[in-house]
Each structure stands twice: as C-alpha cells, then as structure tokens.
Amino acid sequence: MDGNDSRLNQQQLSKPSINEVVAVASVILFLVFSGALTIRCIIRLQNNRILVRTTNHVALALEHTESALKDAETGQRGFLIAGREEYLEPFYAGTKRIDVEVQRLGALIAGDSQQQQHLSQLEVLIAEKLDELQFGIEIRRTDGIDAAQAAVNTDIGKNTMDKIRAVIEDMRVVERSHVATREVTAEESYRTALITTALTTILALGLVSTVLYTILRSRHRAQQNAAVIYASRERLRVTLSSIGDAVITTDEQGVVTSINAVAQSLTQWSGDQSIGVPLSEVFNIVSESTRLPPESPALRAIREGVIVGLANHTVLIGKDGFERSIDDSAAPIRSERGKVVGCVLVFRDVTERRRLERENLERDQQARVLGAIVTSSDDAIISKSLDGIIQSWNAAAERIFGYTEEQAIGNHISMLIPAERLNEEEQIIARLRAGERVEHFETVRLRGDGKDVFVSLTISPIKDASGRVIGASKIARDISEQKQTQDELREHEKRFRTLVEQVEDYAIFMTDAKGRATTWNEGVLRVLGFEESEFIQQDIAPSIFLAEDVEKGVPEAELDEAATKGRASNDRWMKRRDGTLFWATGVTTGLHDTEGKLLGFMKVMRDQTKRKETEDELRKAAAELSDADRRKDEFLATLAHELRNPLAPIRTGLEVMKLLRDDPVQMEQIRSTMERQAQQMVRLIDDLLEMSRITQGKLELRKCHVVLADVIQSAVEAVQPFIDEAGHELSVKLPEQLLLLDADPNRLAQVFSNLLNNSAKYTPDGGRILLSAERQGNDVIVSVKDNGIGIPPDKLDLVFEMFAQIQGPIEKGYTGLGIGLTLVKSLVEMHGGQVKVYSDESSPGSECKVRLPLLVDGPVAKPLDPSSEETNSTIRCRVLVVDDNKAAADMLSLVVKMLGHEVRTAGDGQEGVEMAESFAPDMVLMDIGMPRMDGYEAARYIRKQSWGQRMMLVALTGWGQEDDKRRTLIAGFDHHLVKPAEPTDLRRLLNEIQERTP
C-alpha cells in the first residue's frame, strides 16, 4: 500500500490546476443540483396530484365493486324466484365486473400495504359471497324453490355482505385520509419549489463569487494537504491491518482506497485487484429476502455525512460466488475542516449467528402460532401425561366438557370418561407408548353436569428430545349435533347415495375453437370411458354425440350458442366410448381473450341417467297416484250410494210396518226384505274391515279340513236372497267325489259368495249364473260364470285393484265398492291359490276361475255351527245393556228377553255403573263411546269393585280392529263383539254363563 499512496501523492502534486477544475465543477454541480432540486419539487408536486387522482379512482372502483355485488345478488334472487336461466344474466355480468374491479383495485393500491391488507380481506369475503350465491342457484336447480328459499333465509349471506360493506367503508376511510394528507403535501411541495428556486439562485451568485478565492487558496494548500493525506493514510493502513473486522476505505467518489486482510478474505478480492475499483464491484451485496442490491452504505455515508448501517439480512457475494450473511456499518472520513473525503466500511461474517437467529425465530413463530391455535380453536385441545394427569386445558375444552381450567388441570383424565369406556383409555395409552397416533376416534365422554357428549378424538404422542414418549396431546371435537344429524339422515342415506355419487362425478374438459379436446380429467374416463391418450386432440362431436344429433348439426349449434351467448346447455342423450347411451346434463362455456377473440370452449357434464329414469318413474307414479286418487273419490261416492241403497227399503219397511199391524203375510215379507238389506249393509262393512285387516297384515286364517261342497253351499245360502230378488237362474254343478280342502271355511265361503254377489249385481234381471267345480290334478277349479254386462278387454287387468270400478250404464245402477274382487284375490292367495277373470266381447258375460290346492289325504273335520246351539238350561241370567243409543239398547234388550233372560238398560257409563251395583247382572253388554263416562272407564271401575269381579263384561262397539280388541281387554272386558250383535253370539255367551253357574 506504500507504493500506491506514493503514486497518488505524486499525481495530486503534478496537477495543481485540479482545484480550479473542482471549483468550476462545484459551481456547475451546484447549479445542476439546484435545478434538479427544483425539478424534483415540481415532480413531487405532480406526483402528489397523481396520488390524489389515484385515490379518487380507488373510491370509484370500490363503488363499482359494491354495485357489481348488488347486481349479482339481484340476479340470483330473480333466478330463485322465477327459476329461469335468463334471470341469471345480472349475476354473471356482476361476477365478471367484480373480477375486473378487484384487479383494478389491486393495481391502484399496489404501494399501499394497509389497503392491500383490506383488499385481501375483501377478496376472501367476495369469494365467500359468490360461493353462497352459487350455492343458492344450485339448490334452486336441483331441489326447487322451497329448498332454495330455506337456504337464502339464513343469515349467512347477509352477514357476509355486511362484512364486505364494512371492509369497503374502511378502505374509503383510508383513501379519504390519503386525500387530505396528499393535498397538504402537494401544497407544501409547491411552496418548497418556490422557496428552493429563490434560494438556489441567491446561493449560486454567492458561490460564483467565492470560487476564484477558493481556487487561489487551494493552490497554496495543495502541497500541505498532500503531506497530511499521506500521513493520514499511513496511519489508517496500520490501524486497519490490526482490526479483526473486515474494513474497506474509499475516496469521496466511492472508489476503494484500501482493504484489509479480513475484507480480502471475505470478498476474495486482493489488495492490488481492489484498489481503484468502485466499491460496488468489490463489496457486492444483496438483500437476503428480495435478492436485490440495497443502497450502498458507503455512498450514503459520503452523501449524508452520517454513520450508516446496512439493512438487516444482507448477504455478501464474494468474487468466487460464495455467499455470507454480514453485519456492517459505514462512517464518513472527514478532513480537518470537516469535509467528507471518503468513507470507511466495517463489516463482519455473521452467517452462523443468522442461522441461529432464524432457527430461534422459527421456533418462536411456531410457539406463537401453536398458542394462537390452541387459544382460538373451536376444538378442545388437552395435553396429559402418560399416567393420565391433565396438564393443559383450552377455552374450547371448558365449553365442551363444562370444567374450568382450574378444575381440570392436575386431575386425572378419567373424570371425562364413562366407567364402561375406561378400557378405551388403556388401549389408547398403549398405542401412544408405541409412538402411534390415534386419529378420528369417535366415542362418548362425560360433561361436568353428568351428560354424555359425542366427540371425535385425535391423540398424538408428545416426545422429548431423545424421542421418548412422555405425554399425549388430545384434540376433541364435539360431534353431538353431527351424530344426531347422521342418525336422522341414515334412513335417507341409501336413497340419496346415487345422487351424491352423480354430483361428484363430473367430466370436465376444454376444446379449441374447432371442438378438438385439449384437456382431460378423471371424470372423462368415469363418465365417457376415454383414456387421456384416446381423447386429446380428438373431435368431440362424433365421439360423444349421437349420430342423428351430429347429422342435425346439434354439436355445431351448441358451440355457436356458447361462442355468441357465453354458454349453452347440453341436456340430452349421449354415448360413451363403448357405445352405451347415458343422459348427460351440463353446460358448454365459450372462452374468450381480453379482446373478445374466441379461444375455445369448456364443457362440464355428468351422467344423470339414473335421475332421468327416476324422473320418468316419478311422472309415471304421479299419474298412477292421480288415477288412484280418482278411484278413491269414486269409491267414497259409491260407498255412500251403496250404504243408502239398503237403508232406503229398511226405513220404508219400518213405516209400512206401522201401517200394517194385523197382516202377518205382508209383515213377514217386509221383515225378509229388511233382513236382506241389513245383511247387505253388514256385507259391505265386513268387506271393508276384511280389506283393512289384509292390507295391514292382521288377517289370520283359521284352517281346518273342510268339504268343498259344504263351503259352496254356505256361499249359495248367503247370496240366494239377492239372486232370487233379481230373478236370476243359479245353477250349481259339483263333482260327485268328495273334495277336501285345508282352508278357513268362513273365508272361503266369503270368496264364493262375493263372486256370486258380483255376478248377481252386474247381470241384468232374469240372467243366468253358473257355479261349477272341476278337479285338475291336485287342484280344484271353481268357476262362476254369468251372462251379464261383461268386462272390456282393456279392463281385465284392473278388476283386482283396490277401488277399481268397471263403468256400466248409469241407468242400470251397476254399482259397488270396488273392493270385492280385491278381497277375493287376497283371500285366495292366502289359501295358496290363484284367481283369474275372463271376458270375451263376442259373447255376453264374464267368468271368474278360482284354483285351490286340494287336501289329498286326511279326515274331514267340519266346524261347529254356532247357530245350532240351543239353550238347554232353564237358568235365567240377568243382563245389563249400557248404550247411549236408546233405540239400539231397546232392540238388544228385546233380543235378550226373547232368549229368555231378564234385562235392564242404562243410557251412559255413569248410569251403567250405578245400575250394575244395584242390579248385580251376570252379563254387561256395554257400548264404548258414551257421554259422562265411556265404556273403558266404566269397565275399569266395575273391575275394581268386589261386586264386579265375577260379572262377564262384553264390549259391544262398531270398532273391530285388533287394536280395539286389545284396548277392551286391557280395560277389563271379557269379550269383544262388533255391532250389530248376532243372536248366536249372545246365545253362546249366555250359555257360557249358565254352564259355570252352580
């Protein structure tokens, strides 16, 4: 360094005119500096005005963003109400405007960190709002207006919009603050420019005056300064050599004048290489985060005359490319008069220290993040030792389990575990000791109030530095509501599983402007069956559209619509790679660049074949339900008609009987007519009850070995009066051999009587009916054939349906309940048989054939006929009839008296109880629905009394279902009879009383 200093001193002494150049240059530089300062003030003023204008643009962009959101929301609301896609145009237009305005906002506030934070919040909220609007649209499309209205009626959308408005208002407040500040700054810049221009002009004149004096004086001191500088540099060289830090000195231009050994080692620049080289080349530094060169500390120290430190996290790049983190500072070197003649740069290698700092910072950040997560988490976060002692407890744990932090910490975890689940904790501890993590373990835990809470547990082992498990961290999520929801939805899961799978199964791909595929996803393989290599660059139209659609130009029309209108739907039948067809739903969207040029298309589609089939089935079911509803209405009207028909002759007969008091022949004729009509009403009601029992699965057959001829005889006897009344000719042809059946004789007689009654009803007066039986193998075919109105061929499949009516001429009065053949079919099938109906338009009438299995071997056991039972005892019974219907009570009393017994009547339950105590009857025939005290309450009261223990209580009611019988039995009744009570039933019960009377 001695040779270099000598050469520099000689150069300075050999050019004494340099001071003159410097003085003149100083004047010029000052003038330039003054002009530059003035220009800078003007530019600053202009920039402030631009910033004010930018603030106005930001306010306008915020207003446009808020307006676009309102338009999008308006479009969505219109679609939810109307359900028409064109109502979504404001939604789509608003969405596009939102994207443009948000990008514009980002550009306008690029340099404002505060506003950028606000913008980040705004973008998240806008995305949430658009997702909420889109969700409502999808709900409207798939589930209808009610589901969409329910989704919109929540406060989610309103809350999100309120947050958006709040953020926008915060941004407006910031911009208004900026406007005020920038206007003040602009005014100050204007005044500064005026003052600066005036001052620089005055100073420039003074500077020119002093230049000549300075030049002359500098000549005199040049030699003295050269000697001083040489001595100073020599002292500096010795000092720098003894310093342990890296040191570089420069002149006032920032050119290296010295570099010590440590600096040479760090920069990999030798002394000879670095002297005279600009500091920026030797001292090559960049920011650790941005990799951009920071401002040179040396030049700043020279310019400002102050000690300058580098920004934190600065990296020195050596000549060999090796990087080191450094810590440095630069100080100006001043002459005796205080003039800055250079600078000294001191720096050191802090790479290792920076590494440790980063590690500590990362640990601190992780600790802070973890603490924030634990504190703010909605899940309970608990840590415990391996022996189960609770060591930490967050606010969510207090909310979920009901224990405060003070109550929980230090106690055993078993306080939260039901006794029957303690083995779970032992199993979890064993897994944790093995280093295993327990994830999403659903179980039940106890709250502080003793109630159960369903939780999902994730438990991780806590290890020390050596890797040894020393505890556990437990995250518990309250899933009680989720479990309840799952239980409620479990029964619907199977029904909706297919729909969920379809919603998740989308084929999404893009094409170029000509319709050739440019992208592929897994959905294309699942929905269309194409591998990626088979799909890319292929013309989509012939690959997935039906041939007839391609011929009609459907693919081209769809692309044209998407290109011009932005989107086009494609709900139609399409084909997969293997040629199979499926119902595709989706949309094709045109893709354009910023100039509106068509780039291509995006197609989103999914397989909705099952939904299509379901919709078709639902439409069919709706039609069937509509038909069933119509038939139900017809049935109710017919039921009213059929019940009135027998009531009319009964009422008329009663009136005639009042007039004919002494004519026994006519009285018997009227009685027979009324009996037949009453039997018809009973038959109608019995048919209804039988169908109710069959449809509810409550009808039981009481089978025994019966002779077919006996069953048919019972059926013929039941309908003979109606056949005679209509003047029909009934022929019965049965085989000579004995045909045995394992059947319920009453139900089977009901089958044949229904068929005979049907033929009698739908055959004009004076018709012919043939009942025949024929053995075929191990079966018997029983046929009922008539020459009536017949059945149209297209109605043959409907006659066995509930409430089915084959319409005949109204004037003929062919009516019925429409359940007769339905009842027949059910009873026959319960006997293991089949029934079919035949009718031919070429010949009148219809034929019904019943096939039943025969009992090939076995003895005949005929059921007893209750009507044959006679009262052999002469013991009279006391009978109490309790009914609020006085006419019914009187008639029943008359029957009991005719059977030879003593009878009393009561008009309600309260009176019945009082009379039962005083009269002490052997049997109480009691109605159920009565005022003051009903039959149930009266029976329970009687059974509690000592005098009522041995009475036979018989419920006599119009309700005959199994549940009705169960209720009467519970109330204390011995028997249950359905109105009207048959005399045979009364005789049987009275005989039972007489038999047990000593």
Side-chain angles (χ1 to χ4, degrees), residues 381-406:
I381 301 178
I382 307 167
S383 65
K384 64 180 181 179
S385 62
L386 285 182
D387 56 2
I389 301 303
I390 299 173
Q391 296 176 333
S392 68
W393 187 267
N394 72 339
E398 179 176 344
R399 175 177 54 81
I400 293 175
F401 296 110
Y403 291 102
T404 64
E405 184 177 7
E406 293 77 9

Side-chain angles (χ1 to χ4, degrees), residues 299-464:
L299 295 179
R300 183 180 171 192
I302 294 172
R303 182 179 71 250
E304 300 180 3
V306 296
I307 298 175
V308 178
L310 278 180
N312 292 332
H313 307 165
T314 302
V315 174
L316 171 66
I317 303 176
K319 193 175 183 181
D320 56 357
F322 189 79
E323 297 184 0
R324 297 175 177 84
S325 296
I326 62 170
D327 183 12
D328 60 7
S329 63
I333 300 175
R334 299 179 182 274
S335 64
E336 294 180 354
R337 296 186 177 182
K339 178 183 178 182
V340 177
V341 295
C343 80
V344 58
L345 181 66
V346 181
F347 56 96
R348 63 193 60 83
D349 185 356
V350 294
T351 303
E352 182 63 20
R353 190 182 75 187
R354 283 287 299 124
R355 183 185 65 80
L356 295 175
E357 288 176 353
R358 283 194 295 269
E359 291 179 356
N360 292 334
L361 179 60
E362 290 176 358
R363 285 195 293 269
D364 291 343
Q365 289 177 340
Q366 291 175 356
R368 287 194 295 271
V369 170
L370 180 59
I373 292 174
V374 171
T375 301
S376 61
S377 175
D378 291 333
D379 297 333
I381 301 178
I382 307 167
S383 65
K384 64 180 181 179
S385 62
L386 285 182
D387 56 2
I389 301 303
I390 299 173
Q391 296 176 333
S392 68
W393 187 267
N394 72 339
E398 179 176 344
R399 175 177 54 81
I400 293 175
F401 296 110
Y403 291 102
T404 64
E405 184 177 7
E406 293 77 9
Q407 293 172 326
I409 293 179
N411 287 316
H412 197 273
I413 196 69
S414 59
M415 65 188 291
L416 306 178
I417 305 174
E420 66 274 11
R421 294 181 178 268
L422 288 175
N423 62 322
E424 290 181 357
E425 183 67 13
E426 297 175 359
Q427 296 172 3
I428 291 173
I429 292 296
R431 295 173 64 180
L432 292 173
R433 290 184 185 277
E436 184 180 349
R437 186 168 185 260
V438 180
E439 293 190 19
H440 306 302
F441 176 68
E442 294 187 2
T443 184
V444 177
R445 291 295 182 258
L446 288 176
R447 287 177 48 86
D449 55 9
K451 295 181 179 178
D452 290 342
V453 57
F454 287 93
V455 295
S456 174
L457 301 179
T458 297
I459 309 172
S460 303
I462 299 176
K463 301 179 181 179
D464 59 13

